[in-house]
Amino acid sequence: MATGKNTKFYETPNHPFQGERIAQEADLLGRYGLKNKEELWRAQSELRDYRREARRLIGEAQGDMEAAEELGEEFLDRLRRYGILSQDADISEVLGLDVTDILERRLQTVAYRKGIGHTPKQSRQFIIHGHVVVGEGRITRPSKKVEASEEDLVAFDEGSPLSDELHPERAEGQE
């Protein structure tokens, strides 16, 4: 029955019952309006992969940061394009990233920060129900990572009832 493909894109915590970790996860779930811990664990696994790649590049360059940056130019360009790293950041700053740096680039969070919804959960609902577009395309995946250049293109769909500024669910002072 198994096809041999890995369908799980995250790792669960090694120790399932740690009160402090559970409290931190609950805080992040509430702050970013995540549906469940799986979404958080995916972001943590993504961050772990970024750090692993940075360590590999630094190791290959034997600690020479300039050489490591040349080896990982595409990797660093991708992180900069998504706004996870600043434009002048070097490869060593990848090791200092936090899971919130990844969560901030989700469409759900970007839409909330732009005032698309009153709360992150409401922004998520608007995205899932097809009220939000990025540029010309309607996106219904709240977990989509938004590139820094696309951030200004996040808006309500023209055909959506929510595009009317007088709609009761619109947050105050939205575009």
Side-chain angles (χ1 to χ4, degrees), residues 78-148:
R78 187 174 71 236
L79 293 180
R80 290 180 182 125
R81 191 173 66 241
Y82 281 111
I84 295 170
L85 278 182
S86 62
Q87 291 300 322
D88 58 342
D90 65 352
I91 196 162
S92 65
E93 292 183 40
V94 174
L95 302 175
L97 290 175
D98 189 42
V99 71
T100 56
D101 296 318
I102 307 293
L103 294 173
E104 284 290 333
R105 300 311 309 160
R106 289 170 48 99
L107 176 58
Q108 177 179 353
T109 308
V110 171
Y112 169 65
R113 299 270 187 254
K114 285 196 69 164
I116 298 274
H118 294 289
T119 64
K121 287 199 176 194
Q122 188 182 44
S123 295
R124 176 187 191 87
Q125 184 182 32
F126 289 163
I127 293 164
I128 289 173
H129 290 201
H131 296 294
V132 177
V133 293
V134 179
E136 296 294 315
R138 179 180 299 170
I139 308 290
T140 57
R141 241 181 47 241
S143 62
K144 178 195 184 318
K145 278 208 295 298
V146 178
E147 294 184 13

Side-chain angles (χ1 to χ4, degrees), residues 159-172:
S160 165
L162 291 165
S163 64
D164 179 11
E165 291 183 26
L166 299 176
H167 194 282
E169 284 303 315
R170 292 277 301 252
E172 299 298 315

